[in-house]
Amino acid sequence: MANFAVDPSVLAPHVPAGTLLDSCGGTTYASVVAFRFLGTRVRGIPVPFHRNFEEINLRFYVRRQHPEGVRRGVVFLKEVVPRWAIAAVARRVYHEPYIALPTRSTIEPPGRQGRTFAYGWRLASGWCALEASVRDAPALPAAGSVEEFIAEHYWGYNRQPDGSTMEYRVDHPPWKVWHATGSRFTCDVAALCGPAFERWLTAPPASVFVADGSPVTVYPGRRLT
């Protein structure tokens, strides 16, 4: 998870109705997140040849006031997967901004010098990369930290074609994280995300960390009224 400080005016046009742009310590963030789906099931049913694959996404953070309390969530600006069928279904059924591109990943086993996590995706201009090196053991992020803010979001929000907002719940245990001892992010940002993000995502990231991951459940969405 590579996290970049972004001017709120860049993110404001993408905030779904019924939510507010969220921040941590007065800073608004966009994150480039790379991970592996493993053992994926849709409504409990495994789909052959579509269970294990990489995803790379660009996301930012919003909140919504609910009678039960504040719901903190994410909004996806771009989601990259290697299989066109996944991207097509996600766009058509859920109106999520998926695209299909070649992807690759390498996760080194723990060693004396630590380990490196590396993900790649290929645009027309060439391969992009997000990599992070870590050492020692992961730990739960400190309360109030940027890492906690980035990792601990349990709601997703998605703008629908008619301007309404879809809200869905994401369930997973708290993730332990490693702070990156070194990282690399190379990408044709304008081609992937649009020129408005180029200035912000080509600057050094405010933080980079790796989360250990876990089983995750994504629940059916409901439209906000």
Side-chain angles (χ1 to χ4, degrees):
M1 295 182 170
N3 311 296
F4 300 83
V6 176
D7 190 287
S9 64
V10 175
L11 299 172
H14 305 281
V15 175
T19 69
L20 297 171
L21 191 60
D22 206 357
S23 64
C24 179
T27 301
T28 52
Y29 291 96
S31 301
V32 179
V33 181
F35 62 97
R36 285 174 170 174
F37 277 107
L38 298 175
T40 306
R41 295 170 179 263
V42 179
R43 298 184 183 274
I45 301 172
V47 180
F49 310 112
H50 292 76
R51 298 195 66 193
N52 303 326
F53 53 92
E54 295 95 359
E55 179 177 317
I56 300 92
N57 63 55
L58 173 65
R59 72 187 203 182
F60 70 98
Y61 305 92
V62 297
R63 67 184 188 275
R64 183 172 89 88
Q65 188 63 49
H66 186 270
E68 298 176 356
V70 175
R71 290 181 172 177
R72 286 194 145 88
V74 302
V75 178
F76 294 102
L77 295 167
K78 191 71 69 175
E79 297 170 90
V80 177
V81 290
R83 302 189 185 277
W84 68 267
I86 298 170
V89 170
R91 287 197 307 267
R92 184 177 183 86
V93 177
Y94 302 106
H95 307 295
E96 289 281 1
Y98 273 86
I99 59 172
L101 296 172
T103 66
R104 61 190 182 189
S105 62
T106 303
I107 298 178
E108 296 179 354
R112 182 174 298 179
Q113 301 301 318
R115 62 193 305 195
T116 297
F117 301 79
Y119 288 82
W121 60 102
R122 193 175 69 198
L123 298 171
S125 55
W127 281 97
C128 305
L130 177 60
E131 302 176 4
S133 299
V134 302
R135 292 184 180 179
D136 304 321
L140 290 175
S145 65
V146 172
E147 291 75 20
E148 182 190 51
F149 173 79
I150 297 296
E152 299 302 307
H153 282 77
Y154 297 97
W155 296 91
Y157 294 94
N158 178 23
R159 180 182 291 167
Q160 301 296 289
D162 63 1
S164 65
T165 298
M166 187 71 72
E167 176 187 66
Y168 56 92
R169 183 163 67 93
V170 180
D171 186 33
H172 65 79
W175 290 334
K176 295 181 179 180
V177 303
W178 294 268
H179 293 274
T181 56
S183 65
R184 181 170 75 97
F185 174 60
T186 58
C187 183
D188 184 346
V189 173
L192 181 66
C193 314
F197 289 90
E198 187 169 18
R199 170 186 172 186
W200 308 99
L201 300 189
T202 55
S207 74
V208 181
F209 64 90
V210 177
D212 61 358
S214 69
V216 174
T217 301
V218 180
Y219 292 88
R222 57 175 293 274
R223 288 180 185 263
L224 299 185
T225 56

PDB file of all heavy atoms in Angstrom, residues 42 48 62 101 103 124 136 138 159 180 216:
ATOM      1  N   VAL A  42     -17.680 -16.363  -5.671  1.00  0.00           N
ATOM      2  CA  VAL A  42     -18.756 -15.402  -5.918  1.00  0.00           C
ATOM      3  C   VAL A  42     -20.049 -16.010  -5.399  1.00  0.00           C
ATOM      4  O   VAL A  42     -20.483 -17.055  -5.889  1.00  0.00           O
ATOM      5  CB  VAL A  42     -18.864 -15.067  -7.415  1.00  0.00           C
ATOM      6  CG1 VAL A  42     -20.006 -14.078  -7.650  1.00  0.00           C
ATOM      7  CG2 VAL A  42     -17.555 -14.499  -7.927  1.00  0.00           C
ATOM      8  N   PRO A  48     -14.217 -21.438 -12.063  1.00  0.00           N
ATOM      9  CA  PRO A  48     -12.990 -22.043 -12.596  1.00  0.00           C
ATOM     10  C   PRO A  48     -12.119 -21.029 -13.332  1.00  0.00           C
ATOM     11  O   PRO A  48     -12.625 -20.188 -14.097  1.00  0.00           O
ATOM     12  CB  PRO A  48     -13.521 -23.124 -13.554  1.00  0.00           C
ATOM     13  CG  PRO A  48     -14.885 -23.456 -13.024  1.00  0.00           C
ATOM     14  CD  PRO A  48     -15.425 -22.162 -12.485  1.00  0.00           C
ATOM     15  N   VAL A  62     -13.388   8.038   2.133  1.00  0.00           N
ATOM     16  CA  VAL A  62     -14.550   8.864   2.449  1.00  0.00           C
ATOM     17  C   VAL A  62     -15.160   8.375   3.756  1.00  0.00           C
ATOM     18  O   VAL A  62     -14.794   7.323   4.285  1.00  0.00           O
ATOM     19  CB  VAL A  62     -15.608   8.812   1.319  1.00  0.00           C
ATOM     20  CG1 VAL A  62     -15.060   9.388   0.030  1.00  0.00           C
ATOM     21  CG2 VAL A  62     -16.122   7.388   1.113  1.00  0.00           C
ATOM     22  N   LEU A 101      -5.619  -5.815 -17.768  1.00  0.00           N
ATOM     23  CA  LEU A 101      -4.266  -5.619 -18.274  1.00  0.00           C
ATOM     24  C   LEU A 101      -3.418  -6.817 -17.848  1.00  0.00           C
ATOM     25  O   LEU A 101      -3.729  -7.458 -16.841  1.00  0.00           O
ATOM     26  CB  LEU A 101      -3.634  -4.342 -17.694  1.00  0.00           C
ATOM     27  CG  LEU A 101      -4.264  -2.991 -18.044  1.00  0.00           C
ATOM     28  CD1 LEU A 101      -3.608  -1.886 -17.221  1.00  0.00           C
ATOM     29  CD2 LEU A 101      -4.119  -2.697 -19.530  1.00  0.00           C
ATOM     30  N   THR A 103      -0.774  -8.687 -15.792  1.00  0.00           N
ATOM     31  CA  THR A 103      -0.220  -8.421 -14.462  1.00  0.00           C
ATOM     32  C   THR A 103       0.774  -9.521 -14.098  1.00  0.00           C
ATOM     33  O   THR A 103       0.797 -10.586 -14.710  1.00  0.00           O
ATOM     34  CB  THR A 103      -1.313  -8.368 -13.383  1.00  0.00           C
ATOM     35  OG1 THR A 103      -1.910  -9.669 -13.252  1.00  0.00           O
ATOM     36  CG2 THR A 103      -2.388  -7.347 -13.716  1.00  0.00           C
ATOM     37  N   ALA A 124       0.143   0.380 -22.337  1.00  0.00           N
ATOM     38  CA  ALA A 124       0.673   0.461 -23.700  1.00  0.00           C
ATOM     39  C   ALA A 124       2.092   1.001 -23.702  1.00  0.00           C
ATOM     40  O   ALA A 124       2.904   0.649 -24.575  1.00  0.00           O
ATOM     41  CB  ALA A 124      -0.240   1.341 -24.550  1.00  0.00           C
ATOM     42  N   ASP A 136      11.820  -7.923   9.743  1.00  0.00           N
ATOM     43  CA  ASP A 136      11.217  -8.207  11.043  1.00  0.00           C
ATOM     44  C   ASP A 136       9.808  -8.767  10.882  1.00  0.00           C
ATOM     45  O   ASP A 136       9.419  -9.254   9.826  1.00  0.00           O
ATOM     46  CB  ASP A 136      11.238  -6.955  11.930  1.00  0.00           C
ATOM     47  CG  ASP A 136      12.640  -6.397  12.102  1.00  0.00           C
ATOM     48  OD1 ASP A 136      13.572  -7.221  12.226  1.00  0.00           O
ATOM     49  OD2 ASP A 136      12.801  -5.167  12.107  1.00  0.00           O
ATOM     50  N   PRO A 138       5.459  -8.449  11.277  1.00  0.00           N
ATOM     51  CA  PRO A 138       4.404  -7.431  11.210  1.00  0.00           C
ATOM     52  C   PRO A 138       3.754  -7.235  12.571  1.00  0.00           C
ATOM     53  O   PRO A 138       3.821  -8.095  13.451  1.00  0.00           O
ATOM     54  CB  PRO A 138       3.423  -8.017  10.201  1.00  0.00           C
ATOM     55  CG  PRO A 138       3.569  -9.501  10.387  1.00  0.00           C
ATOM     56  CD  PRO A 138       5.030  -9.725  10.681  1.00  0.00           C
ATOM     57  N   ARG A 159     -20.168   5.256  -7.055  1.00  0.00           N
ATOM     58  CA  ARG A 159     -21.143   6.081  -7.765  1.00  0.00           C
ATOM     59  C   ARG A 159     -21.753   5.287  -8.906  1.00  0.00           C
ATOM     60  O   ARG A 159     -21.047   4.680  -9.718  1.00  0.00           O
ATOM     61  CB  ARG A 159     -20.465   7.338  -8.297  1.00  0.00           C
ATOM     62  CG  ARG A 159     -21.404   8.266  -9.067  1.00  0.00           C
ATOM     63  CD  ARG A 159     -20.646   9.456  -9.595  1.00  0.00           C
ATOM     64  NE  ARG A 159     -20.210  10.334  -8.523  1.00  0.00           N
ATOM     65  CZ  ARG A 159     -19.323  11.318  -8.681  1.00  0.00           C
ATOM     66  NH1 ARG A 159     -18.769  11.506  -9.860  1.00  0.00           N
ATOM     67  NH2 ARG A 159     -18.988  12.083  -7.665  1.00  0.00           N
ATOM     68  N   ALA A 180       7.651  -0.423   5.242  1.00  0.00           N
ATOM     69  CA  ALA A 180       8.603  -0.711   4.181  1.00  0.00           C
ATOM     70  C   ALA A 180       9.961  -0.094   4.495  1.00  0.00           C
ATOM     71  O   ALA A 180      10.055   1.075   4.896  1.00  0.00           O
ATOM     72  CB  ALA A 180       8.089  -0.181   2.853  1.00  0.00           C
ATOM     73  N   VAL A 216     -11.438 -12.378   3.372  1.00  0.00           N
ATOM     74  CA  VAL A 216     -12.244 -11.162   3.267  1.00  0.00           C
ATOM     75  C   VAL A 216     -13.616 -11.537   2.707  1.00  0.00           C
ATOM     76  O   VAL A 216     -13.714 -12.341   1.778  1.00  0.00           O
ATOM     77  CB  VAL A 216     -11.573 -10.122   2.341  1.00  0.00           C
ATOM     78  CG1 VAL A 216     -12.496  -8.937   2.119  1.00  0.00           C
ATOM     79  CG2 VAL A 216     -10.248  -9.667   2.924  1.00  0.00           C
TER      80      VAL A 216
END
